[in-house]
Each structure stands twice: as structure tokens, then as C-alpha cells.
């Protein structure tokens, strides 16, 4: 057997074909010369194959069962599109240009039925189909450039009663050439033609051309969702000649051009398939100048395309080629997650998967494809040696793979695997002592973080040979096909290009233990098995065994908490935080003295002092059960003060490392205030200082005593956090301590001494001491707090004191610094770090806000916009505290968060965020104060609007209007009106005036704005009474009496909106009231002589129209009357 070459570069992913779809096509009779597959589409549930005979085959991906066959007499199937958000709908285009929409009725188990047939493109070749991502709407493009939309009924229940209602077909646009590709996302339709790409806002009916340079040929374009781009809005990628792509924002503006020509000079990667041995040619070719006929968004950060030469997968934001492989004669492709379905020119269909190399090898091992798995390992040695791959492909698995190879025919492979295994050893050297104790248990593998990975196994009386033998596990083709389907969802790409890995057969269990040579490490052993017949039962057994072992050990340690010989050890892990809340043992991160090799351990307090705390805690919890105490603030505070004094005594003992005696660490008040001012400036201005000096003259003795009490209880703010318990605390006591400590923080009971004298302290001094004491309280008792409740309490009680929030975040950072994720977050760009955060940190973890803070400190506003993916685990109130020094960045986050919701849900969503209600005015004032036009451009010296100033662009106009339109009480609406008027946001001001019935005020400002469009159309402000018309005419007459030429927004006198003058208002009056009443009112106001012949002609036309309309109505009434009389018996 030949020696397998090694790919020099460290490729992370590969395309693999595990199963052939040829038997499926043969069963569907799509492999003959008369009938072949002509189109392909895929969704989460279906694989749709259109045939040249007009039939559509729908195959259920789970089990590859042929479920449905839909026939069409209108010709061969040219295009197919499955609805991605509702698997019950599919659209089909035929060779005659007809588009048929089917409802499959799978939920009701009925027969599929045609719900619409569109002949809008009849006689033309339909070249593209695309579904809306939110509603039932299909977009259709043909070879002459026409694009239409088919809007379907969204109510399945009401469909029977609406059987005779025609569904509308709307022509969207007609572009200059053949439509190559359509894509849709968040209200925008992307159209790619032979010459350029177009962006269409289907809701506002606006169109943009993307870029200035045209092209000639088939070039695709696709959307790139915001969750993958790490930005506020989705991106667009458009193919360009010469292996290039345009990166375009969601408004159609070209951001940059990415060049892949030179990057494609590398040799192609082989496709891993059982049909042939993988081959790799090290020869570097010339750069490839290609045209990409279509672009498809694949997985998360990848874009896929193809040519007649092969398949190309890019990471466009990083300008990287993930891979390219030679796959010949591709006609079309469809993708779903990491699956690729290729339709070839000969009608064949191939099924490929984009996998990381280690996942690919694992799949091959599960299928007992030993030779191909070994060749893949040898071929991609550089990828497998990487840290992540070594955690998945352990030495045990490679040894087992080597044992399955034939010694005679695979000697070269075996020698290469031996070399690969030798390169694995340095990774495990750091854990050699642990490996020596458990390496005999083949079901364990040890990760870098110290976590023991337990592989699924079976329990029972079966022999090791039966449970571990892989030779005996042979499957038929049908069984392998079923097994392949079951593992599809779990075989996703890793972090760089896929969704989060989900391993059903592996459980990560961190185990806390004491080293004892005379004791067995674990009371159970599990044989190695790659295919357990009952993995759920095995995992449950493992979980119960580990839980029992940890619980018994913890109870034993808890009974010996007063022993001075007890030492605490805890491995540092990335996922230890969630385990700490469930474990009955509070542990500190392990700290090692590298030079001396000594461990730092915490000594427990004296037994009697700790016993006093236990008794005091039980007594406090008992008292709080009394409603007279719990619901009486004064009594509750007395109980907590008494308990807090005991807590301070217990944890102020000198035996505790890192905890100093608060009574023996005085500090000057000036230093505390100085530190406080770093986070909050301007607490004491000159006037307050003067008032303070006056009050000090009157109460010098009392305040001096109070200040001395405050100073004596201070400790330096730069002390280290106590993020972990200095001693062993029983689980029940730990819960009670957390409840009482958090309650003290919530009720601002921070020090037993300061609260006893707090009534005599100056208000400003109380505020300063409260902030400083809160910071000290957090640092001293951080390990006792319920972090989620503490965060909410700080946001409510210390909204204007950012130093307390900063202290809390520093504590979370200190807690997170013991994890490996904390160090990994230092490297990579923003998308990579967000991906790491998604995969490694539970969203409900209190540490999530600490990692978000680090991203904000590193990347600023762009990081804030990306944090919307973590809602509701990170709330807007958290972001307000996070960027308290730059409120404009909070606006960017809030605007992005609201826009991330569908447009019909944004108002309801924004209203749900306004808790408390006072935030409405704060956010409105913030929005109208940032990214706004200059005040001199929108208001004159008297505070009235300048002409056309309502047309200026405001950065957050949509957010402002949404805040204004939300329901609120009358007082709040009045305050919002004043804010809009003061800041010159005239659209919002006029809207609020309409709600508050301040119509006189509104018409006055409309006349100043000088724009007739404000009084025209469906949403125009038209006077409703004669008095309002008289007011409007008087305002116009007053304005015209002193004419001042005003320039429009573009600087020209004649351009811009139609002005408000006597002629235009008179015409509007005639249309609203009729020509004769209008003429009478104008004469009454003395304006009849100022009108031109245009007004007279318009009135004549209106009279004729009214006369004809009356005659038509009279004729219709007479006909109806005759008909009704004729029906009488």
C-alpha cells in the first residue's frame, strides 16, 4: 500500500460523502435516459427533486423515506423552492413559465393541494424562486428580468371559507436582463441579474442599484445574516468578475471588495468518500480567475459557490478560503445547515457534508470504515494534532483504529498512525499523574482544563468482548442509512464555521476529589465502547454514580469543617460556575506556587465563632418567617443588622486569608471621596460645599462624631475581592447566608455601625458613604451573594452611582479569570470571540455580563450592537450601566435591539422594555439629543420651526417615533411633546399634538414648516371645522403679509415641497368642502380677490364632477329600486 501524503497546511474542514444517493434515485426511477432530475431544493424536513417528466418527489430527510409525489401537466420542473419557515409549503416552476404553489397538509394528514397557480410568467423561462422568510410569499424571476411576488393566505383555518378569493400577484420590478438569483431577508429582496445587483425594500417599495460598475455574465448574490456578521444589520455579498466579491451593507452601499484570486492557487482538498481513496497533489497551481454563478450562505460564517471545476467555500469577512474541492459538472446546488446537495448535469445527485476533520474521522469510525478513517487521519495530520482535534480524537481512539487495520495490507498506514500517536503525547504530559490512575479505564479521556470526559457505555453482565467489539457490529445498508440520518444533526461544523457541537454520546462531568493513594479514584469502571446500544441508560447510570460519590464526599467534608487539617482543592474549569451552584461545597480556584510548588489553602475559622454565625443565621431566618417582621421594614432591618454584626465578626478574624478586620483598618474620608469621584464626578459642587460648611457650623459636634464613626468603618477600596469562600460551608448554611447577604444589599444594610449613626450624618456624606460602603460590601462578601439578584439590586438602587456597578463587574471578572475561556477571549476578532462566548458560556450565567464588558472595552460600539443576540439574558438596563460614560452608544444598542424584531412586533417589544415607566422620557430625551441636526437649522430665534426643517434626517428617528406612538398617560404625553418641541423634532411634535387635541398649535407650526404635503394624503392634517379653516387661512394671510424668501433644503428657491400659500390652501379647501362653500368662506375672510384663474378652473371641474357623481348615484339607486320591486311576489 502506498504511503499517504500529508497536507502541509492546517486545514480545519473537509467535504465528505458518507452515503450515495444513487439507490434512492434508482428507486425513484430518476436514473434513466428518459427521465432524470432537473431541479433540487432542500429544507429542514424535505429533499425536493423535480424531474423532466413534470413530477416533484418529496423525500423526508429523516430516514430518506419517499413520502410524496406531485405531478404537473404544465411541463418539466425547472425550479423548486421549499418554504424554510413552514415545511408545509413548496413552490414549483414549470418549463411553460407557470408557478404552482402547493400546500402539503402534513399536519392534518390530508392530501396535498394546489393553493395557487400563477401565469404571470407564462411563456417565459423562470430562472429563480425565493420564499419570504416571515410570511407566505413567493418571489419569482424570469429570463427577461421580470420579478413578481405571490402573496398567499396565511390562515389555514379560514382557507375553506375563502376558496373563491383570488390571491394577489404583484409585479415587483423589471430589471435590465435575466434574473440570475433571488434572496430575501428582513423585508429586503436581493436581485442579481446579468449586469448588476439590485436591492428592493418590499415594504416601502424602494430600489437601489448596488455599486456603480456593471458586469456581463451569471454572477450571484446572497444575504449574510446579522447574527453571523457580528454587526448591527445583515450584510450582502455580490459576486464580481475575477474571483472577487463585493461586501455591501444593508442599505446597498459597497463597503469593500474582496479578492480571492491568489488564494485559490492552492491545490484542492480531496472529498472524503468511500468510492475512492483521497488523493492530494502538493503542486501549487496558478491563480484562478473565476465567475461565481450563485452565492449561498452556508452554516454561520461561510459563503459557498461553485463552477464547472469545483466547489468553493469562503469566509468572506476574513477574506479566507476555507477550502475548495474538485467536484465536476455541477448544475445546481441546495444547502441546509452544513449539508450540500449537488445536482449534476447528468441528473445525478450527490450529498456532501461540511465537517471539521476530527468530526469526519469520528463519523468514519462509527461506520467502521477503518481504512478511510486512517487515510484521513494521515492526510490531515496537521489538523488532528491541533488542540481542539486532540480533545475529540483521543489516543485511545487512534489506538483502536490502528488495531482494526490489516497488518499486511496497511503496514504503511499503521506506521503513519504510530507517528501521529507519538505526537499526541506532549499534550497529556501535564496530566500524567492522573492518567496513570485512570488510563486503564478506557471510557475516560482528559481535557486540557482537567475535565474528565466520560464516553457512553452500557451497564450489565455482558462481557467486555461483547460490549467493546466493533467487528461484531455490522449493519445492512438500510440500517447504516438510518444511523447516518440519526447522526446528521449532531455532526455540525465546529466553532469557526458551524453551529454548536452537540454530542449525545458524551457527558462532561467535573469531579472534585482528594488524592489518597490507598483509595480507589472512582467506585466504578466503564468499558470503552464507540457504539452503545443504550447510551441514555448508560449516561444516566454514570451521572447517578458520580453524583452519589460527590454527595457522600461532600457530606463527609461538611461534618469536618472545623478540622484544621482539611485542605480545599478545586480544578480550574471553564464550565465550573454552573456546577458551583449545585455542589454542596464552595471552593476557591486552585492557585499554585510555581517556584515552591506549594498550594495556598484556606484555614477554617475557630469552631465556636463559626458556630455563632450558624446560630445567628438560623435565628434570623426563623424571625423572617414571622409576617410581622418580614413585612415591617423597621423590624426587618433590625433583624438584618443584628445578623450582619455577627457576620462581620466571623469573617473579620485574622485567620482568614484576604479578609482584614474592618475595625482595625481606618482610612481618611478624603481618600474615599477621591476614589469615588473617579466613577462619579461632581457630587459636591461649590454651592453644596457652602451649604455643608454652614450646616457644619451649627452641628459640628454631632457631625464630627458621625464622621469619625464612618471613617473608622472604612477599608481601602483597592482590596482584593473575596470571590470564593475562605472555608468550607455546608450547603444549607450557604443558601441561608446567600439569602441574608443579598437581602442586606437590597435593603442598603451594608455595615452595622454606620446604620446605627446614619441618622446624624449629612445627606451628601450619607450618599458618599453609602456608595463606598456598597463597594466594600461587594468586595468582602462577593462569595456569599446571589449574583443575579445582586445585579438587579445594584441597577435599581445605584443607578446614578456607576462606581458600585463597576465594582460588581470587577468582581465578576475576578471570578471569571480562573477559567480558560477568559484567556481565550483575549485573542481573535469580534465574530470569533462572540462565537466562543456562544459555545462556552451558558446564557443564564452571571458571568455573561463580565465577558460582555470585556468585549465592549475592546471593540466599543460594534460589540454593543452584537450583544443583542444575548437578550433577554443581557437587558438594556445592563447596557445602560455598561456604557454610562457614553450614552450615545446605548442608543445604538437599543436601536439595533428593536430593529432585530419583525416590524409588526417592534412597538410591543419596545413597550415591554420600558420598565420602569420613567425610562420612556429618559430614552426619548437621549434619542433626540444625539445624532440630531444643528438646532440653528431647525428652529429660529423665537423657537418656531424653520421651513422644511421637518425633512431633516435624524439618526434615531424610527426609535423616536416608536417611543412617541406607544400608549401613555396624558401627563407623559405632554412631557414628550415639550421634549420634541424643545429639541425641534417636528414630526413627533405634530403627532403628539394630534393625540392631545392641540390642533391650533399644530396648524401654527405646519404653516411655519411651509409644506403642503403635511395637509394632504391619507395621513395629512386637514382642518375638521369651519373655525379651524378660518384659523389656517388667517395664519397663511399673516405669513404672506410679510414674505421672506426661504431656501429649501437643497438651497434652491423653486425646489422642495409645495409651499403653504393662499392659492394652495384654497384649493385644498375646495376639495374638502366643495367649491361653493369654499368660495363663501374665502369671501368671508377677504381672500377671494387673491385667487388666480387656476382656482376658478378647479372649482368648475369640481362642480362638474359633483354633478356627474350625483347623477350616477341617482341612476344606481333607481336600478336597485326597480330590481327590488321586481322580486316582490
Amino acid at each position: 500500500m502506498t504511503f499517504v501524503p500529508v497536507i502541509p497546511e492546517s486545514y480545519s474542514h473537509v467535504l465528505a460523502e458518507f452515503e450515495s444517493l444513487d439507490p434512492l434515485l434508482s428507486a425513484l426511477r430518476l436514473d434513466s435516459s428518459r427521465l432524470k432530475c432537473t431541479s433540487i431544493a432542500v429544507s429542514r424536513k424535505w429533499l425536493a427533486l423535480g424531474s423532466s417528466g413534470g413530477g416533484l418527489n418529496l423525500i423526508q430527510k429523516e430516514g430518506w423515506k419517499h413520502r410524496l409525489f406531485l405531478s404537473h401537466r404544465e411541463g418539466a420542473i425547472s425550479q423548486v423552492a421549499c418554504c424554510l419557515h413552514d415545511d408545509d409549503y413548496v413552490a414549483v416552476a414549470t418549463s411553460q413559465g407557470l408557478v404552482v404553489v402547493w400546500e402539503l397538509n402534513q399536519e392534518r394528514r390530508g392530501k396535498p393541494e394546489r393553493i395557487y397557480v400563477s401565469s404571470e410568467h407564462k411563456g417565459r423561462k423562470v430562472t429563480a424562486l425565493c420564499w419570504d422568510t416571515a410570511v407566505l410569499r413567493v418571489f419569482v424571476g424570469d429570463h427577461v428580468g421580470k420579478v413578481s411576488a405571490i402573496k398567499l393566505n396565511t390562515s389555514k383555518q379560514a382557507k375553506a371559507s375563502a376558496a373563491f378569493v383570488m390571491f394577489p400577484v404583484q409585479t415587483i420590478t423589471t430589471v435590465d436582463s435575466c434574473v440570475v438569483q433571488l434572496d430575501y431577508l428582513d423585508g429586503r429582496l436581493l436581485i442579481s441579474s446579468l449586469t448588476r445587483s439590485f436591492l428592493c425594500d418590499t415594504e416601502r417599495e424602494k430600489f437601489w442599484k448596488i455599486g456603480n460598475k456593471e458586469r456581463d455574465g451569471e454572477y450571484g448574490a446572497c444575504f449574510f445574516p446579522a447574527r453571523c456578521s457580528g454587526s448591527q444589520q445583515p450584510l450582502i455579498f455580490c459576486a464580481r468578475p475575477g474571483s472577487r466579491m463585493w461586501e455591501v451593507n444593508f442599505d446597498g452601499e459597497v463597503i469593500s471588495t474582496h479578492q480571492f484570486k491568489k488564494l485559490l492557487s492552492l491545490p484542492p482538498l480531496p472529498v472524503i468518500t468511500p468510492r475512492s481513496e483521497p488523493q492530494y497533489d502538493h503542486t501549487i497551481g496558478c491563480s484562478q480567475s473565476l465567475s461565481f454563478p450563485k452565492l449561498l450562505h452556508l452554516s454561520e460564517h461561510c459563503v459557498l459557490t461553485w463552477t464547472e471545476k469545483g466547489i468553493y467555500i469562503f469566509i468572506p469577512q476574513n477574506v479566507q478560503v476555507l477550502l475548495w474541492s474538485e467536484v465536476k459538472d455541477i448544475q445546481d446546488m441546495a444547502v441546509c445547515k452544513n449539508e450540500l446537495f449537488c445536482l449534476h448535469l447528468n441528473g445525478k445527485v450527490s450529498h456532501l457534508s461540511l465537517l471539521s476533520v476530527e468530526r469526519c474521522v469520528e463519523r468514519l469510525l462509527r461506520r467502521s470504515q477503518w481504512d478511510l478513517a486512517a487515510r484521513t487521519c494521515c492526510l490531515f495530520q496537521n489538523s488532528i494534532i491541533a488542540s481542539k482535534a486532540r480533545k475529540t480524537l483521543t489516543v485511545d481512539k487512534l489506538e483502536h483504529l490502528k488495531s482494526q487495520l490489516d497488518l499486511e495490507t496497511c503496514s504503511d498506514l499503521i506506521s503513519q498512525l504510530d507517528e501521529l500517536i507519538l505526537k499526541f503525547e506532549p499534550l497529556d504530559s501535564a496530566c500524567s499523574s492522573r492518567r496513570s490512575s485512570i488510563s486503564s479505564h478506557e471510557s475516560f479521556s482528559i481535557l486540557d482544563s482537567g475535565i474528565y470526559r466520560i464516553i457512553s457505555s452500557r451497564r450489565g453482565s455482558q462481557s467486555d468482548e461483547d460490549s467493546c467489539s466493533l467487528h461484531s457490529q455490522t449493519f445492512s445498508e438500510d440500517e447504516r442509512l438510518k444511523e447516518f440520518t440519526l447522526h446528521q444533526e449532531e455532526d455540525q461544523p465546529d466553532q469557526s464555521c458551524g453551529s454548536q457541537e452537540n454530542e449525545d454520546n458524551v457527558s462532561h462531568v467535573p469531579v472534585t476529589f482528594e488524592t489518597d493513594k490507598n483509595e480507589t479514584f472512582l467506585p466504578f469502571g466503564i468499558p470503552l465502547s464507540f457504539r452503545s446500544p443504550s447510551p441514555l441508560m448508560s449516561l444516566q447510570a454514570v451521572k447517578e454514580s458520580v453524583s452519589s460519590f460527590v454527595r457522600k464526599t461532600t457530606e463527609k467534608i461538611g461534618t469536618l469543617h472545623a478540622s484544621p487539617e482539611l485542605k480545599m482543592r478545586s480544578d480550574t474549569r471553564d464550565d465550573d460556575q454552573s456546577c458551583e451552584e449545585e455542589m454542596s461545597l464552595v471552593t476557591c480556584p486552585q492557585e499554585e506556587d510555581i517556584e515552591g510548588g506549594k498550594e495556598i489553602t484556606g484555614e477554617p475559622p475557630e469552631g465556636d465563632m463559626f458556630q455563632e454565625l450558624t446560630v445567628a443565621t438560623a435565628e434570623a431566618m426563623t424571625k423572617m418567617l414571622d409576617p410581622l417582621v418580614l413585612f415591617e421594614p423597621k423590624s426587618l432591618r433590625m433583624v438584618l443588622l443584628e445578623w450582619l454584626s455577627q457576620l462581620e465578626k466571623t469573617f473579620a478574624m485574622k485567620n482568614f486569608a484576604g479578609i482584614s478586620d474592618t475595625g482595625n483598618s481606618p482610612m481618611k474620608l478624603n481618600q474615599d471621596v477621591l476614589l469615588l469621584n473617579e466613577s462619579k464626578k461632581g457630587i459636591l459642587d461649590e454651592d453644596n460645599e457652602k451649604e455643608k460648611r454652614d450646616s457644619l457650623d451649627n452641628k459640628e459636634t454631632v457631625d464630627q462624631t458621625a464622621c469619625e464613626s464612618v471613617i473608622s468603618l472604612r477599608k481601602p477600596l483597592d482590596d482584593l475581592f473575596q470571590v470564593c469562600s475562605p472555608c468550607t460551608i455546608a450547603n444549607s448554611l450557604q443558601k441561608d447566608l446567600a439569602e441574608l447577604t443579598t437581602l442586606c444589599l437590597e435593603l442598603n444594610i451594608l455595615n452595622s455601625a454606620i446604620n446605627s449613626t446614619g441618622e446624624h450624618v449629612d445627606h451628601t456624606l450619607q450618599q458618599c458613604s453609602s456608595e463606598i460602603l456598597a463597594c466594600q460590601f461587594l468586595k468582602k462578601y462577593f462569595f456569599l451573594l446571589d449574583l443575579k439578584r445582586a445585579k438587579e439590586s445594584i441597577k435599581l438602587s445605584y443607578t446614578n452611582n456607576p462606581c458600585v456597578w463597576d465594582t460588581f463587574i470587577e468582581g465578576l471578572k475576578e471570578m471569571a479569570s480562573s477559567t480558560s475561556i477568559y484567556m481565550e477571549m483575549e485573542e481573535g476578532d469580534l465574530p470569533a470571540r462572540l462565537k466562543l462566548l456562544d459555545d462556552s458560556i451558558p446564557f443564564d450565567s452571571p458571568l455573561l455580563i463580565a465577558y460582555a464588558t470585556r468585549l465592549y472595552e475592546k471593540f466599543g460600539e460594534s460589540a454593543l450592537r452584537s450583544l443583542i443576540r444575548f437578550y433577554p439574558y443581557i437587558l438594556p438596563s445592563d447596557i445602560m450601566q455598561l456604557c454610562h460614560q457614553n450614552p450615545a452608544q446605548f442608543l445604538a444598542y437599543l436601536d439595533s435591539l428593536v430593529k432585530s424584531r419583525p416590524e409588526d412586533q417592534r412597538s410591543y417589544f419596545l413597550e415591554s422594555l420600558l420598565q420602569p415607566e420613567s425610562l420612556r422620557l429618559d430614552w426619548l430625551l437621549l434619542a433626540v439629543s444625539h445624532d440630531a441636526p444643528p438646532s440653528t437649522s431647525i428652529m429660529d430665534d423665537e423657537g418656531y420651526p424653520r421651513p422644511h426643517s421637518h425633512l431633516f434626517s435624524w439618526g434615531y428617528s424610527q426609535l423616536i417615533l416608536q417611543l412617541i406612538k406607544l400608549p401613555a398617560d396624558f401627563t407623559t404625553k405632554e412631557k414628550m411633546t415639550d421634549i420634541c418641541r424643545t429639541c425641534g423634532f417636528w414630526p413627533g411634535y405634530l403627532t403628539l399634538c394630534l393625540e392631545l387635541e392641540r390642533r391650533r398649535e399644530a396648524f401654527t407650526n405646519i404653516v411655519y414648516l411651509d409644506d403642503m404635503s403635511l395637509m394632504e394624503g391619507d395621513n395629512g392634517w386637514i382642518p375638521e371645522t369651519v373655525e379651524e379653516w378660518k384659523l389656517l387661512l388667517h395664519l397663511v394671510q399673516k405669513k404672506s403679509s410679510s414674505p421672506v424668501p426661504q431656501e429649501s433644503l437643497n438651497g434652491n428657491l423653486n425646489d422642495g415641497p409645495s409651499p403653504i400659500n393662499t392659492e394652495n390652501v384654497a384649493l385644498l379647501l375646495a376639495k374638502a368642502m366643495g367649491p361653493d362653500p369654499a368660495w363663501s368662506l374665502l369671501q368671508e375672510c377677504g381672500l377671494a380677490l387673491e385667487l388666480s384663474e387656476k382656482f376658478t378652473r378647479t372649482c368648475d371641474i369640481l362642480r362638474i364632477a359633483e354633478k356627474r357623481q350625483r347623477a350616477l348615484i341617482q341612476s344606481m339607486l333607481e336600478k336597485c329600486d326597480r330590481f327590488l320591486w321586481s322580486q316582490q311576489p
Side-chain angles (χ1 to χ4, degrees), residues 480-544:
R480 292 189 180 183
L481 186 60
K482 180 178 181 181
E483 183 214 12
F484 165 65
T485 307
L486 292 176
H487 288 288
Q488 276 184 338
E489 291 300 324
E490 75 171 28
D491 288 314
Q492 302 295 328
D494 63 12
Q495 295 179 0
S496 63
C497 189
S499 60
Q500 184 176 357
E501 294 183 3
N502 178 21
E503 296 183 36
D504 293 333
N505 65 328
V506 177
S507 173
H508 300 272
V509 182
V511 182
T512 305
F513 66 95
E514 293 186 27
T515 305
D516 190 347
K517 297 180 180 179
N518 299 325
E519 188 173 306
T520 307
F521 175 71
L522 285 178
F524 53 87
I526 307 173
L528 176 64
S529 174
F530 286 101
R531 292 192 183 185
S532 173
S534 56
L536 294 178
M537 184 183 299
S538 303
L539 284 179
Q540 184 64 27
V542 172
K543 181 179 179 181
E544 291 175 357

Side-chain angles (χ1 to χ4, degrees), residues 359 391-392 394 443-456 500-511 539 542-543 546-547 573-576 578-579 582 839:
R359 302 284 295 182
K391 296 175 185 178
T392 305
T394 61
S443 56
F444 289 96
S445 62
I446 308 166
L447 306 182
D448 288 341
S449 58
I451 296 175
Y452 292 83
R453 171 174 289 180
I454 301 176
I455 304 174
S456 63
Q500 184 176 357
E501 294 183 3
N502 178 21
E503 296 183 36
D504 293 333
N505 65 328
V506 177
S507 173
H508 300 272
V509 182
V511 182
L539 284 179
V542 172
K543 181 179 179 181
V546 174
S547 301
R573 306 175 181 89
D574 10 40
D575 54 354
D576 248 358
S578 61
C579 298
E582 300 175 1
D839 295 341

Side-chain angles (χ1 to χ4, degrees), residues 784-851:
L784 292 177
L785 292 171
D786 183 334
L787 297 179
K788 293 182 180 179
R789 285 175 55 190
K791 184 181 74 169
E792 298 303 319
S793 174
I794 291 171
K795 289 190 296 184
L796 291 175
S797 304
Y798 301 96
T799 305
N800 299 322
N801 305 320
C803 65
V804 182
W805 172 267
D806 294 339
T807 303
F808 178 72
I809 294 298
E810 289 300 321
L812 293 177
K813 289 181 180 179
E814 184 73 19
M815 180 178 289
S817 63
S818 61
T819 64
S820 60
I821 302 298
Y822 192 83
M823 301 304 299
E824 294 180 18
M825 289 285 291
E826 293 291 338
E827 301 175 356
D829 54 5
L830 180 59
R833 298 191 191 192
L834 288 171
K835 175 63 177 175
L836 180 63
L837 197 58
D838 280 338
D839 295 341
S840 306
I841 303 299
F843 282 4
D844 59 349
S845 170
L847 298 181
L848 182 64
I849 188 64
Y851 290 106

Side-chain angles (χ1 to χ4, degrees), residues 909-1048:
F909 176 69
L910 181 60
E911 186 177 9
S912 67
L913 300 178
L914 294 173
Q915 300 295 333
E917 186 68 22
S918 59
L919 288 177
R920 184 192 306 262
L921 297 177
D922 296 338
W923 289 1
L924 178 62
L925 183 59
L926 195 63
V928 297
S929 304
H930 290 83
D931 200 4
S935 59
T936 56
S937 301
I938 55 180
M939 286 188 294
D940 57 19
D941 297 336
E942 298 179 359
Y944 288 105
R946 293 189 181 276
H948 308 160
S949 58
H950 63 292
L951 300 177
F952 277 102
S953 175
W954 293 66
Y956 299 100
S957 59
Q958 294 185 11
L959 179 62
I960 298 171
L961 291 174
Q962 287 169 348
L963 285 170
I964 288 173
K965 293 177 181 178
L966 292 178
D969 57 86
F970 183 81
T971 304
T972 302
K973 289 288 186 179
E974 282 191 327
K975 293 179 180 179
M976 297 172 72
T977 306
D978 295 337
I979 291 175
C980 290
R981 178 175 178 79
T982 303
C983 298
F985 186 71
W986 306 119
Y989 172 72
L990 294 177
T991 302
L992 289 168
C993 284
L994 177 64
E995 292 186 24
L996 299 176
E997 295 297 329
R998 293 159 62 169
R999 302 179 64 84
R1000 181 184 183 91
E1001 192 175 336
F1003 285 121
T1004 302
N1005 286 275
I1006 287 176
V1007 172
Y1008 276 97
L1009 290 172
D1010 198 22
D1011 184 1
M1012 281 298 298
S1013 64
L1014 294 173
M1015 294 188 294
E1016 297 174 349
D1018 296 335
N1019 299 322
W1021 285 60
I1022 300 178
E1024 298 177 350
T1025 63
V1026 176
E1027 287 74 16
E1028 289 183 356
W1029 279 109
K1030 290 181 179 180
L1031 171 65
L1032 181 60
L1033 291 171
H1034 173 70
L1035 292 172
V1036 174
Q1037 188 178 16
K1038 181 180 178 181
K1039 174 192 169 210
S1040 60
S1041 62
S1042 56
V1044 178
Q1046 298 285 350
E1047 292 189 358
S1048 61

Side-chain angles (χ1 to χ4, degrees), residues 251-270:
D251 295 326
E253 300 171 352
V254 177
I255 301 175
S256 59
T257 302
H258 301 318
Q259 176 63 262
F260 298 97
K261 185 175 181 179
K262 294 182 179 179
L263 297 176
L264 293 174
S265 61
L266 294 175
L269 285 185

